[in-house]
Amino acid sequence: MKQNFVVLLLLAIPSIYAQNTLKGSVIDKNTTEPLIFANIYIPQLEKGATSDFDGNFTLSNLPNGTFPIVVSIIGYETFSQNITFPSTDHLHLALIPSAIEMEEIIISTPFHKLQSENVMKVERQTVANLKSKGAVTLSEGLTTIAGVESITTGVSIGKPVIRGLSSNRVLVYTQGVRLENQQFGDEHGLGLSDAGIESVEVIKGPASLLYGSDALGGVLYLNPERFAQVNSDKADASYNYFSSTKGFNTDAGYKISGEKFKFLFRGSLAEHADYNTADYRVTNSRFREQDFKTGLGYQKSGFKTELRYNINNSKLGIPGELGEQTTSKTPLLPFQEVTNHVLSSKSTVFLKNSSLDISLGLLYNERKEFEAHHHDHGDNDDEDHDGLEAALNMKLKTFNYDVKYNLPTLGRFETIVGVQGMTQSNNNYGEEQLIPDATTNDFGVLATSHIHFENSDIQIGARFDHRTIDVISGLNRDFSSFNGALGFKTKFFKKITSRINFASGYRAPNLAELTSDGTHEGTNRYEIGNANLKNEQNFQVDLALEYKSEHFEVFANGFYNKVNNYIFISPNGEFFDNTPVYNYLQADAYLYGGEIGLHLHPHPLDWLHLESSFETVTGKQQNENYLPLIPANSMSNTLRVEFETKSVQKLYGFVRMRTHFKQNNVSSFETPTNGYNLLGAGLGGTIHLFNNNLDIRLSGSNLTDGTYINHLSRLKSDGIFNIGRNFNIGLTYTL
């Protein structure tokens, strides 16, 4: 293996010195007038430029090979085509005027296509858009994406749910590497800040072909902010205030790029008191989060690399019974302290007509839990917690790698082959033990191809994975699985796009499911694992239809997901020290549902947008008993306006009604949940202040201050309401 790698590097040396320059121009196809400030971007090279006042642009230091180039500007269809270097031709690009919103590059899928070119349907949202809706945390903002919900413990802790599947069934990627942070627990959040994250992509359905085990239900892919463009720098700072928690989020960052080197950093701080409902504050839902991100990049003609580091520290109160009503931001006992370190590197070597991508990650997660009964404090007032001993202290260390070779394009075929793997150790240092010390090793090999036709595309792939789990107590388990995917996309009458995807996925049981034997304080239950659990193996069919014109868009997505050996936890009717006992069991299950929606933006009222969507999911065991933690059906209706004025750029305003219906399809140990409506509104825009841009955001959620309980709230069993009326003021100043 090492010899082969050396050979590849030697082959790469001649291409490293190949330097090409691309010059071109961008015009309006109808008027032939030059287009100013059009964005030209080559995603695979992460190289970009902006057209000047004559519509011209230049990109330099480009390697040999074939790469997609993307051109976008507001008011025009996003343009994409492949270009091959070396090429001395002047690139003349003519864009078609359109009221349809600009498309973005999808990073989470292997060939970096525009969504319209993608065989797999992927939902994408910018973090700026999520913030404009007043979300307190990243996990709360994700729930505004169709098909995504969150299992919550108050405001601070949220776990993503994609089409009814959550925990280890949803894989999270950050900085290009898989996030490992003890995500098996219901009360364990993401451990990530939205500061320094540019956009979020959601793959709904099995993505084991691309990512291996734990991607059975889908992937949440977080794209870090880009480096500055060549020979430029940028600084910004932001502040957000939230009325319900009397809290704030603030961050500041700076980035600079030369011809070859790039650098950025960003720091953020968030502090929130107990959130307010219409009737009371939820005791100990307060939290504090500190986050720091930095990155260093280097790029020359035939090689690019970047190194990123993120440390996130959070102190999270664990709410339970209602108690004192204060606006203190210091967590009471019990509380968690979670620290995540993510060090990642991503490199690409460009060969003559191919390329080699290498991504490496080192992750260190430390989870501490401080419990009230573990310390003798007489009362539970605010106090300095320094010096307290954690009852639970787990440290998870992970190294993962992802190596992909992009073969030379052969006619209509683009092909990628690769290997991925992970080695991981979990160790306990506290008096209590939630899961035992253990070592996990993964290895997978994959191949996938994208086949282009004039009006259609096909994507096909296969993969093999092997996982071993060695527990210090002596339990040793091996899990293996073959998986594949086949997708087809085609266009009818230029405006209708259809996609159908068949995919299988798998998930190996996690340590908690295999080995638990004790009280899980965060969920107030005594859990008993099952050492004989098998792989979860699923097969999903996904059909997506989309009609898009200049004035009207409509989509319909449907899926059916068959899961063999579905793992779930269920009470056995016994009690241990007044705590109910739960067992991990397996049964075949199936889920089905989908999303439908429309977007109306009538011409000539291009500033007016009417958006409506509905999403549903049903999950059952093979015996027709309902699965737990399945989100209720919901509908969202939004009226949005957008303007460009002399004094305010990107001026927008919106009113939104989110309806959650009753959830009566519950498992044997769940209770039904009533329906409710949440009214929200917001406005914002960009003004010039001291020759720089100031973005201003104002929003309000649950404006009627209604009392409600979300079906996926872990506080539902205590009858504790979700967050009440909340106003958000946000400011971002850019230098």
Side-chain angles (χ1 to χ4, degrees):
M1 179 66 184
K2 292 182 178 179
Q3 291 178 339
N4 292 338
F5 184 71
V6 171
V7 171
L8 285 173
L9 290 180
L10 291 174
L11 290 173
I13 290 175
S15 70
I16 289 177
Y17 297 98
Q19 296 185 358
N20 300 290
T21 298
L22 174 65
K23 294 185 177 181
S25 59
V26 186
I27 64 169
D28 183 305
K29 185 174 183 179
N30 295 339
T31 66
T32 69
E33 292 291 325
L35 294 181
I36 306 170
F37 303 135
N39 296 307
I40 299 91
Y41 189 63
I42 303 178
Q44 197 170 345
L45 304 179
E46 296 182 23
K47 284 268 191 177
T50 303
S51 60
D52 60 20
F53 287 95
D54 296 316
N56 297 321
F57 67 89
T58 300
L59 285 167
S60 57
N61 295 325
L62 305 176
N64 293 337
T66 299
F67 308 100
I69 186 169
V70 178
V71 185
S72 61
I73 186 173
I74 294 176
Y76 291 83
E77 287 185 13
T78 301
F79 177 88
S80 173
Q81 77 171 41
N82 285 342
I83 183 167
T84 300
F85 300 107
S87 173
T88 57
D89 296 335
H90 184 277
L91 193 61
H92 190 68
L93 304 171
L95 302 191
I96 301 173
S98 173
I100 297 174
E101 296 180 355
M102 292 189 303
E103 289 190 80
E104 298 288 348
I105 299 293
I106 301 299
I107 304 298
S108 56
T109 51
F111 301 99
H112 297 314
K113 302 294 182 184
L114 296 175
Q115 182 56 66
S116 60
E117 301 171 336
N118 230 339
V119 173
M120 184 184 300
K121 177 70 173 177
V122 178
E123 301 287 349
R124 183 188 184 278
Q125 286 281 359
T126 64
V127 168
N129 188 33
L130 301 182
K131 285 184 175 180
S132 72
K133 299 172 184 177
V136 179
T137 61
L138 175 61
S139 59
E140 181 185 349
L142 295 173
T143 63
T144 63
I145 300 174
V148 182
E149 291 291 343
S150 184
I151 298 172
T152 62
T153 305
V155 174
S156 61
I157 300 173
K159 182 174 295 298
V161 180
I162 299 179
R163 287 177 168 176
L165 298 178
S166 60
S167 297
N168 280 86
R169 299 181 181 95
V170 173
L171 188 60
V172 178
Y173 256 63
T174 180
Q175 298 177 188
V177 297
R178 60 183 289 162
L179 179 68
E180 293 293 322
N181 65 345
Q182 308 283 11
Q183 58 265 45
F184 62 86
D186 287 348
E187 80 293 353
H188 299 173
L190 286 173
L192 296 171
S193 168
D194 58 17
I197 296 177
E198 184 172 291
S199 63
V200 178
E201 296 174 13
V202 181
I203 301 175
K204 294 180 288 190
S208 291
L209 168 66
L210 303 177
Y211 300 105
S213 180
D214 298 354
L216 177 143
V219 173
L220 182 65
Y221 199 97
L222 307 175
N223 294 312
E225 65 176 306
R226 296 178 185 176
F227 290 97
Q229 289 197 13
V230 174
N231 296 324
S232 69
D233 66 340
K234 180 180 178 182
D236 65 82
S238 68
Y239 178 84
N240 287 272
Y241 174 78
F242 303 89
S243 64
S244 178
T245 63
K246 305 294 183 184
F248 67 88
N249 298 350
T250 184
D251 74 88
Y254 175 73
K255 50 188 175 182
I256 184 171
S257 295
E259 286 290 341
K260 295 181 179 179
F261 286 96
K262 314 171 191 177
F263 174 73
L264 61 78
F265 71 86
R266 183 169 300 278
S268 69
L269 172 66
E271 286 190 344
H272 295 268
D274 297 338
Y275 75 83
N276 202 18
T277 70
D279 298 334
Y280 48 77
R281 289 194 176 275
V282 178
T283 307
N284 208 26
S285 60
R286 61 198 73 170
F287 66 99
R288 186 175 194 267
E289 180 183 50
Q290 298 168 283
D291 188 89
F292 177 77
K293 294 181 174 74
T294 188
L296 178 66
Y298 174 78
Q299 184 167 357
K300 60 185 301 183
S301 177
F303 175 74
K304 70 181 179 71
T305 187
E306 64 180 55
L307 183 70
R308 292 182 185 256
Y309 172 69
N310 175 213
I311 179 173
N312 181 282
N313 175 264
S314 301
K315 286 188 177 180
L316 312 164
I318 301 177
E321 296 181 358
L322 296 177
E324 63 175 9
Q325 298 290 289
T326 74
T327 56
S328 170
K329 296 181 175 67
T330 302
L332 303 171
L333 294 169
F335 71 91
Q336 297 177 9
E337 182 174 3
V338 183
T339 304
N340 274 323
H341 299 263
V342 181
L343 177 64
S344 64
S345 74
K346 185 173 68 171
S347 303
T348 302
V349 178
F350 297 99
L351 309 177
K352 185 175 182 181
N353 291 304
S354 60
S355 62
L356 182 69
D357 297 323
I358 304 170
S359 295
L360 306 173
L362 280 173
L363 298 92
Y364 174 70
N365 172 266
E366 183 176 22
R367 179 175 299 279
K368 296 180 179 180
E369 190 168 296
F370 300 85
E371 299 170 1
H373 68 266
H374 192 73
H375 304 278
D376 184 16
H377 289 305
D379 57 50
N380 206 23
D381 293 336
D382 292 353
E383 56 186 298
D384 185 357
H385 296 306
D386 292 341
L388 291 185
E389 181 182 350
L392 179 72
N393 186 354
M394 294 190 298
K395 297 181 181 180
L396 185 71
K397 301 173 184 177
T398 307
F399 169 71
N400 52 43
Y401 57 91
D402 183 346
V403 180
K404 292 190 178 76
Y405 178 54
N406 301 272
L407 277 68
T409 302
L410 184 61
R412 302 178 183 270
F413 286 78
E414 290 182 80
T415 301
I416 294 174
V417 296
V419 294
Q420 295 172 334
M422 175 182 77
T423 182
Q424 181 178 89
S425 64
N426 181 76
N427 298 99
N428 288 271
Y429 296 90
E431 291 184 15
E432 296 184 6
Q433 182 170 296
L434 186 60
I435 58 175
D437 295 357
T439 301
T440 301
N441 286 285
D442 277 1
F443 177 78
V445 58
L446 68 95
T448 181
S449 290
H450 190 113
I451 311 167
H452 302 271
F453 298 96
E454 186 173 350
N455 293 311
S456 303
D457 292 88
I458 295 174
Q459 190 167 316
I460 189 170
R463 179 185 181 111
F464 172 76
D465 284 277
H466 181 73
R467 167 172 288 189
T468 62
I469 299 178
D470 296 320
V471 184
I472 195 170
S473 61
L475 176 67
N476 299 291
R477 293 293 309 274
D478 292 273
F479 304 93
S480 298
S481 182
F482 284 98
N483 291 284
L486 172 64
F488 176 72
K489 178 191 76 76
T490 190
K491 276 196 170 186
F492 301 102
F493 312 112
K494 295 185 178 180
K495 295 183 178 180
I496 300 176
T497 301
S498 67
R499 295 178 174 88
I500 185 168
N501 283 272
F502 304 90
S504 66
Y506 97 105
R507 181 180 76 89
N510 62 46
L511 282 175
E513 295 162 339
L514 290 169
T515 61
S516 290
D517 187 12
T519 301
H520 191 163
E521 300 291 347
T523 55
N524 192 32
R525 62 195 183 201
Y526 191 100
E527 298 183 359
I528 299 177
N530 184 346
N532 298 314
L533 293 174
K534 303 176 182 177
N535 276 349
E536 287 185 339
Q537 189 76 45
N538 78 327
F539 178 78
Q540 179 167 313
V541 180
D542 194 300
L543 177 64
L545 295 172
E546 180 180 303
Y547 171 85
K548 182 178 291 189
S549 69
E550 290 191 359
H551 316 295
F552 184 71
E553 300 171 39
V554 62
F555 69 87
N557 306 323
F559 74 94
Y560 180 85
N561 189 2
K562 179 71 168 63
V563 186
N564 294 326
N565 300 317
Y566 183 91
I567 300 171
F568 62 99
I569 193 167
S570 178
N572 63 11
E574 299 176 359
F575 287 83
F576 182 86
D577 288 341
N578 297 319
T579 301
V581 177
Y582 282 67
N583 293 96
Y584 281 100
L585 306 173
Q586 280 189 306
D588 292 346
Y590 61 95
L591 301 95
Y592 60 89
E595 307 87 33
I596 59 173
L598 61 88
H599 179 190
L600 177 65
H601 40 91
H603 186 74
L605 307 178
D606 297 331
W607 49 268
L608 178 64
H609 299 263
L610 296 170
E611 301 171 348
S612 181
S613 64
F614 172 79
E615 53 192 85
T616 178
V617 59
T618 300
K620 292 184 177 183
Q621 298 180 40
Q622 205 64 44
N623 62 9
E624 296 302 308
N625 289 338
Y626 287 102
L627 297 176
L629 296 176
I630 300 298
N633 297 342
S634 64
M635 175 179 287
S636 178
N637 294 286
T638 303
L639 171 65
R640 180 165 54 95
V641 295
E642 296 175 345
F643 298 98
E644 287 283 344
T645 68
K646 291 183 178 180
S647 56
V648 183
Q649 299 176 353
K650 301 177 183 177
L651 177 63
Y652 70 86
F654 70 87
V655 177
R656 184 177 65 161
M657 176 66 79
R658 183 77 183 267
T659 300
H660 291 255
F661 297 94
K662 290 182 178 180
Q663 178 57 295
N664 294 318
N665 300 332
V666 296
S667 71
S668 58
F669 61 93
E670 284 185 307
T671 56
T673 310
N674 292 326
Y676 55 90
N677 296 302
L678 297 177
L679 177 65
L683 59 90
T686 302
I687 63 173
H688 285 289
L689 183 65
F690 305 120
N691 297 319
N692 294 300
N693 287 339
L694 175 66
D695 297 328
I696 303 174
R697 303 176 299 277
L698 304 172
S699 65
S701 57
N702 192 9
L703 293 176
T704 61
D705 206 18
T707 56
Y708 68 98
I709 298 178
N710 186 284
H711 186 68
L712 299 184
S713 170
R714 286 192 53 254
L715 304 180
K716 183 177 72 165
S717 59
D718 297 313
I720 296 176
F721 297 135
N722 286 79
I723 191 169
R725 182 188 294 122
N726 183 42
F727 292 104
N728 167 235
I729 301 174
L731 303 172
T732 300
Y733 190 64
T734 304
L735 298 175

